Amino acid sequence: MAIYTLPELPYDYSALAPVISPEIIELHHDKHHAAYVKGANDTLEQLAEARDKDQWGAINGLEKNLAFHLSGHILHSIYWHNMTGDGGGEPLDKDGVGELADAIAENFGSFAKFKAQLSKASATTQGSGWGVLAYEPVSGRLIVEQVYDHQGNVGQGSVPILVFDAWEHAFYLQYKNQKVDFIEAMWNVVNWQDVAKRYAAAKERANNLLLAP
């Protein structure tokens, strides 16, 4: 039985146009995200078979595959909800997201400085990857991470609350090789209500990270 399932989109394929075309949303969700879900489930089955047969010759590859596909599934699941056709701008107190806005200003100096860092991190990720705003529970602060593939270069325990997909499949049909243009356009569809809820939940659960028994 499958452990992971492809979540439904919280909107229709055209909801994020013109920032992201309906064709990209359909392919990205129905093909690429679905492939990560299948990959995670298939790898779990292969690991179960390895345990049953006590055969571990492929363990390194299987563990890497599980991290790749599972992280891809998780990041995409966040990605869809991080966006809305009614989004964009910056988080403001009058919109009910003042706590997030204050945290961004405190940890990055200003919203403009945060936007510049996340944009640059997303656009310059070597190869394929993501730009991520994450809550880091040890220091209790927000940080920007540059994620290679889906799982590399990540601080352990950090909780992603806003993710920018910088893989070519996220933009190439519409933006060609102009990744910077796509990242800049992404700011027009950020769902700050969703990001603020994730920030609040991450802070509430910060003590779940056990640094000592």
Side-chain angles (χ1 to χ4, degrees), residues 121-138:
S122 303
T124 61
T125 302
Q126 294 176 342
S128 298
W130 301 70
V132 174
L133 172 66
Y135 177 75
E136 196 282 286
V138 177

Side-chain angles (χ1 to χ4, degrees), residues 98-137:
E99 186 178 359
L100 173 65
D102 290 345
I104 288 175
E106 178 181 353
N107 291 296
F108 297 98
S110 68
F111 177 79
K113 291 178 180 179
F114 154 68
K115 180 179 177 181
Q117 184 177 346
L118 182 56
S119 295
K120 188 64 69 173
S122 303
T124 61
T125 302
Q126 294 176 342
S128 298
W130 301 70
V132 174
L133 172 66
Y135 177 75
E136 196 282 286

Side-chain angles (χ1 to χ4, degrees), residues 42-43 46-47 50 55 58-67:
D42 288 349
T43 305
Q46 292 164 14
L47 284 165
Q55 295 179 353
I59 186 63
N60 287 341
L62 290 174
E63 295 290 357
K64 183 177 180 180
N65 285 345
L66 182 60

Side-chain angles (χ1 to χ4, degrees), residues 3-118:
I3 302 290
Y4 302 107
T5 58
L6 180 68
E8 293 186 4
L9 287 170
Y11 35 70
D12 61 40
Y13 295 138
S14 62
L16 302 179
V19 172
I20 307 178
S21 70
E23 182 183 16
I24 288 178
I25 295 294
E26 182 176 6
L27 288 171
H28 196 166
H29 176 267
D30 296 2
K31 301 298 183 181
H32 290 281
H33 188 172
Y36 300 129
V37 172
K38 183 179 185 304
N41 286 323
D42 288 349
T43 305
L44 286 177
E45 291 182 3
Q46 292 164 14
L47 284 165
E49 182 179 357
R51 290 192 299 272
D52 290 341
K53 295 181 178 179
D54 196 25
Q55 295 179 353
W56 303 106
I59 186 63
N60 287 341
L62 290 174
E63 295 290 357
K64 183 177 180 180
N65 285 345
L66 182 60
F68 176 84
H69 291 298
L70 179 54
S71 295
H73 171 42
I74 291 171
L75 287 169
H76 280 92
S77 296
I78 297 170
Y79 179 67
W80 305 125
H81 288 276
N82 272 171
M83 298 182 292
T84 174
D86 299 324
E90 62 180 278
L92 299 171
D93 184 59
K94 68 180 182 66
D95 297 323
V97 292
E99 186 178 359
L100 173 65
D102 290 345
I104 288 175
E106 178 181 353
N107 291 296
F108 297 98
S110 68
F111 177 79
K113 291 178 180 179
F114 154 68
K115 180 179 177 181
Q117 184 177 346
L118 182 56

Side-chain angles (χ1 to χ4, degrees), residues 159-206:
V159 180
I161 63 172
L162 173 63
V163 299
F164 280 11
D165 191 343
W167 283 65
E168 286 189 345
H169 65 241
F171 64 89
Y172 201 85
L173 286 176
Q174 185 173 355
Y175 293 85
K176 306 307 179 189
N177 64 333
Q178 300 303 313
K179 183 189 295 187
V180 172
D181 293 343
F182 170 65
I183 298 302
E184 182 60 32
M186 276 288 300
W187 291 101
N188 295 315
V189 293
V190 173
N191 184 347
W192 291 115
Q193 298 292 330
D194 181 71
V195 179
K197 290 177 183 177
R198 294 179 186 278
Y199 173 59
K203 287 209 313 178
E204 183 177 336
R205 300 168 188 168

